[in-house]
């Protein structure tokens, strides 16, 4: 087999490299030929002949190498090929997270009723989160809210009610506002996560202009628009920032009121708190001769009921199979 044939037959790049050393390396016939030139009779002609041979072999090696490399590359790309048809990522599209979806629906209802959207700080002082809301230090009602306290006397707001105070200190009545946003409590189980969302509502006008009937009407109308045609009921309750206070239930949307596990056999689901603003709250912000109502609802609570999600925590796990059911 000629040297050229051996080159063209080299099966791998490694084998070709060994051949290159053999044919062109320091100990090859060609190198020895160059070394012996000084004794040759016709130096120029011998040198030209050696150079021609060397070039011929070098070219053949380079060509073979290129051929072997392209075969290797093809094999590699074939092996690592990605089947882009395997997942239909682009068919799945996006969807609003159920919490955002419920939030948007709530906000849309109330803005349609002329409530203005207000935002407040997530990290707030105790005056705005507690004291001005008629929750003085050491008041037992503070224990209803497992607060995250910070070192500098600030808290992670435990409810969006703090925005009531910020708004009243900044504006003059009459106004209607809602405050959607995240709130924080030290709590974690089937129905509680340390961060969740609320929508707070507040309407203030001159004394006598706003009645409990106005509050009852707007909340009933909201609940019917959110859940559909279910009965509602107002139960006397207590909140430090409202007097009188009520909790609002909707007839159980799971069993239609007959009693089931979801409504703990009462036939009713508790969905929000409300009341007429306590005079102490108005006093704390320097308001006189005014009246109004306030309400607060948990968005996760409303969303898990409406979309029938058993474990609230599953909404925060980024599980696509779950989330895409809400498209
Ligand atoms: N802040 C209450 C809570 O987090 C919810 C609430 C109840 C807000 C009654 C109100 C209200 O404005 O009137 O549990």
């Amino acid at each position: 087999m000629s040297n050229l044939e051996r080159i063209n037959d080299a099966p791998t790049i490694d084998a070709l490299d060994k051949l290159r050393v053999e044919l062109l390396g320091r100990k090859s016939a060609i190198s020895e030929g160059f070394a012996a030139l000084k004794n040759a009779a016709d130096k120029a002609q011998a040198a030209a002949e050696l150079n021609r041979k060397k070039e011929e072999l070098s070219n053949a090696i380079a060509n073979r190498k290129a051929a072997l490399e392209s075969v290797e590359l093809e094999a590699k790309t074939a092996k690592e090929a990605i089947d882009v048809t395997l997942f239909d990522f682009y068919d799945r599209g996006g969807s609003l997270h159920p919490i955002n979806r419920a939030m948007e629906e709530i906000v849309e209802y109330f803005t349609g009723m002329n409530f203005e959207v207000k935002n407040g700080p997530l990290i707030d002082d105790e005056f705005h989160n507690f004291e001005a809301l008629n929750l003085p230090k050491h008041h037992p009602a503070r224990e209803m809210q497992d607060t995250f306290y910070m070192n500098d006397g600030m808290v992670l707001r435990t409810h969006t009610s703090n925005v009531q105070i910020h708004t009243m200190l900044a504006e003059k009545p009459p106004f209607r506002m809602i405050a959607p946003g995240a709130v924080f409590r030290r709590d974690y189980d089937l129905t509680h996560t340390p961060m969740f969302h609320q929508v707070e509502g507040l309407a203030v006008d001159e004394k006598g202009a706003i009645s409990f009937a106005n509050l009852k009407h707007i909340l009933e109308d909201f609940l019917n628009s959110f859940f559909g045609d279910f009965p509602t009921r107002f139960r006397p309750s207590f909140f430090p920032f409202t007097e009188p206070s009520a909790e609002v239930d909707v007839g159980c949307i799971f069993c239609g009121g007959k009693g089931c596990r979801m409504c703990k056999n009462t036939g009713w689901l508790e969905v929000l708190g409300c009341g007429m603003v306590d005079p102490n709250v108005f006093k704390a912000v320097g308001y006189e001769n005014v009246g109004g109502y306030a309400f607060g609802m948990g968005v996760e609570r409303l969303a898990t009921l409406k979309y029938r999600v058993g474990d609230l925590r599953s909404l925060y796990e980024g599980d696509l199979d779950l989330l895409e059911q809400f498209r």
Side-chain angles (χ1 to χ4, degrees):
M1 208 192 285
S2 75
N3 283 337
L4 286 179
E5 282 167 348
R6 289 176 68 204
I7 289 170
N8 287 332
D9 274 5
T12 63
I13 289 178
D14 262 3
L16 185 66
D17 217 42
K18 287 207 180 88
L19 206 49
R20 182 185 55 77
V21 172
E22 181 195 322
L23 298 176
L24 297 171
R26 264 190 303 124
K27 291 182 181 148
S28 64
I30 286 191
S31 291
E32 277 166 11
F34 277 115
L37 269 182
K38 50 180 179 282
N39 305 322
D42 191 343
K43 253 189 204 176
Q45 205 198 329
E49 177 61 14
L50 281 171
N51 275 325
R52 191 192 59 73
K53 270 199 185 140
K54 184 180 172 185
E55 202 180 308
E56 185 180 56
L57 290 175
S58 301
N59 285 343
I61 288 170
N63 289 340
R64 181 62 185 157
K65 191 168 180 191
L68 284 172
E69 275 170 352
S70 84
V71 168
E72 215 165 75
L73 184 66
E74 250 166 57
K76 195 172 166 203
T77 47
K79 201 168 110 193
E80 293 175 0
I82 297 168
D83 181 356
V84 293
T85 66
L86 203 53
F87 298 105
D88 56 346
F89 286 128
Y90 303 103
D91 267 5
R92 291 172 90 149
S95 59
L96 270 186
H97 191 279
I99 303 297
N100 288 336
R101 195 164 133 175
M103 183 80 107
E104 278 194 7
E105 203 177 315
I106 298 165
V107 169
E108 205 169 297
Y109 173 85
F110 285 102
T111 51
M113 291 297 181
N114 243 349
F115 284 71
E116 199 179 327
V117 176
K118 296 285 182 190
N119 289 300
L122 304 188
I123 301 171
D124 211 344
D125 53 38
E126 298 197 29
F127 174 78
H128 291 85
N129 193 79
F130 291 128
E131 272 144 46
L133 288 160
N134 200 26
L135 265 154
K137 277 206 172 61
H138 311 300
H139 191 290
R142 278 208 192 186
E143 282 164 30
M144 285 159 57
Q145 311 192 343
D146 294 310
T147 311
F148 286 108
Y149 287 93
M150 325 255 299
N151 288 335
D152 53 3
M154 305 289 276
V155 298
L156 295 187
R157 70 174 178 194
T158 55
H159 49 190
T160 43
S161 306
N162 68 330
V163 188
Q164 281 194 24
I165 305 303
H166 285 282
T167 305
M168 287 192 280
L169 288 173
E171 286 180 30
K172 294 225 168 323
F175 60 77
R176 297 170 142 199
M177 58 135 260
I178 49 165
V183 301
F184 307 86
R185 290 186 199 176
R186 294 187 292 116
D187 227 344
Y188 190 65
D189 60 33
L190 276 182
T191 51
H192 298 88
T193 49
M195 187 279 302
F196 59 104
H197 299 83
Q198 289 185 335
V199 176
E200 183 81 12
L202 174 69
V204 185
D205 203 338
E206 62 188 36
K207 210 182 192 96
I210 298 179
S211 68
F212 198 98
N214 296 142
L215 171 64
K216 189 162 185 280
H217 170 76
I218 195 146
L219 291 179
E220 279 174 351
D221 191 53
F222 161 70
L223 290 172
N224 284 332
S225 103
F226 190 83
F227 285 114
D229 195 12
F230 290 93
T232 56
R233 74 173 182 188
F234 284 61
R235 269 183 299 109
S237 184
F238 171 78
F239 297 104
F241 25 89
T242 43
E243 182 59 36
S245 303
E247 276 171 313
V248 185
D249 300 341
V250 284
C252 183
I253 60 173
F254 298 97
C255 64
K258 287 199 289 287
C260 66
R261 196 173 58 88
M262 294 305 290
C263 60
K264 301 195 181 95
N265 280 315
T266 63
W268 295 93
L269 298 164
E270 181 192 321
V271 289
L272 55 84
C274 66
M276 303 308 287
V277 179
D278 192 290
N280 282 341
V281 175
F282 287 138
K283 208 185 285 171
V285 297
Y287 274 12
E288 282 169 5
N289 294 316
V290 295
Y293 61 67
F295 56 84
M297 58 189 89
V299 179
E300 277 75 357
R301 169 84 176 145
L302 293 180
T304 49
L305 291 177
K306 177 163 176 158
Y307 307 130
R308 292 160 164 74
V309 177
D311 184 348
L312 163 62
R313 293 170 296 192
S314 64
L315 289 182
Y316 289 113
E317 283 165 1
D319 177 352
L320 281 185
D321 286 336
L322 178 89
L323 295 177
E324 67 177 6
Q325 295 174 37
F326 295 96
R327 251 196 294 174

